[in-house]
């Protein structure tokens, strides 16, 4: 699990505003650590985790048996393009260190946009390498967001171990909040 650390995930679960009835999608969920941190706040909501690694999903299932048994948590060993997810079905979408969403020219942002319910929020999180320029990452992301009718509503960073973590909070352009 390169770059992804416990410190980063702990900060992300504190930063992400999850409400009791939210429908949460985590893209690149790995072994389900963030899922287990978020689930206590989803008293009536649901969590879906996807990851292309069958090994990671098996670990997620093993470590989240109690929540899976409630029927409100599910994991899929699939990549985003092949995940059987309904359009406009998620209130919060979280992606930690999912490079195609940050840098790819593929359809990933378009797929995520289609999965977001009205007023949904995408939390795009990236644990920076020492040579990464956060302003440069965000500026390269902007045209792709605009092309998918998405806009940045907040940017936050935190010094996590071993490197800083950047979170870009993204909403549908029609859902922009005025500060």
């Amino acid at each position: 699990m390169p770059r992804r650390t416990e410190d980063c995930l702990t900060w992300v679960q504190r930063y992400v505003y999850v409400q009791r009835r939210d429908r949460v999608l985590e893209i690149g969920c790995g072994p389900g650590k963030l899922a287990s941190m978020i689930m206590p706040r989803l008293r009536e909501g649901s969590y879906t985790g996807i990851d292309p690694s069958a090994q990671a999903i098996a670990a997620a299932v093993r470590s989240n048996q109690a929540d899976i048994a409630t029927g409100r948590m599910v994991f899929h060993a699939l990549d985003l393009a092949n995940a059987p997810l309904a359009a406009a079905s998620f209130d919060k979408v979280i992606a930690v260190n999912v490079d195609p969403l940050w840098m790819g020219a593929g359809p990933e942002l378009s797929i995520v946009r289609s999965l977001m319910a009205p007023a949904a929020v995408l939390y795009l999180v990236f644990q920076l390498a020492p040579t990464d320029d956060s302003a440069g990452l965000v500026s390269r992301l902007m045209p792709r967001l605009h092309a998918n009718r998405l806009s940045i509503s907040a940017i936050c960073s935190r010094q996590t171990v071993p490197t800083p973590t950047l979170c870009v909070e993204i909403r549908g352009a029609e859902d922009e909040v005025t500060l």
Side-chain angles (χ1 to χ4, degrees):
M1 181 179 348
R3 293 191 315 243
R4 207 170 154 141
T5 67
E6 193 75 29
D7 192 33
C8 166
L9 296 177
T10 299
W11 176 70
V12 169
Q13 69 89 20
R14 288 181 184 146
Y15 180 79
V16 171
Y17 183 62
V18 174
Q19 296 175 293
R20 64 185 306 124
R21 291 186 176 109
D22 279 344
R23 299 160 299 163
V24 176
L25 169 64
E26 184 183 2
I27 301 166
C29 65
K33 288 184 180 185
L34 186 59
S36 65
M37 294 176 186
I38 288 174
M39 201 61 189
R41 290 189 273 164
L42 292 174
R43 299 181 200 282
E44 300 168 37
S46 63
Y47 170 93
T48 300
I50 62 170
D51 197 291
S53 167
Q55 183 178 357
I57 293 298
V61 168
R62 278 192 307 274
S63 63
N64 290 285
Q65 284 296 316
D67 288 319
I68 292 169
T70 68
R72 295 183 306 107
M73 179 182 272
V74 64
F75 291 97
H76 298 284
L78 298 166
D79 63 19
L80 181 61
N82 296 313
L85 305 171
S89 58
F90 295 99
D91 304 302
K92 303 293 184 326
V93 179
I94 305 165
V96 179
N97 294 329
V98 179
D99 289 349
L101 290 173
W102 280 97
M103 301 167 214
E108 290 83 6
L109 274 175
S110 176
I111 294 168
V112 169
R113 179 67 174 106
S114 73
L115 298 173
M116 293 170 67
V121 180
L122 165 61
Y123 295 93
L124 205 49
V125 181
F126 194 71
Q127 219 169 347
L128 301 167
T131 57
D132 284 335
D133 167 31
S134 59
L137 282 171
V138 172
S139 68
R140 287 191 299 277
L141 180 63
M142 294 290 288
R144 297 181 48 244
L145 294 176
H146 181 72
N148 286 287
R149 301 176 345 273
L150 294 165
S151 63
I152 294 174
S153 58
I155 300 173
C156 187
S157 64
R158 170 93 177 191
Q159 181 58 50
T160 54
V161 177
T163 60
T165 299
L166 174 70
C167 180
V168 179
E169 192 173 317
I170 300 164
R171 298 176 186 272
E174 65 277 6
D175 299 326
E176 275 189 35
V177 290
T178 306
L179 301 176

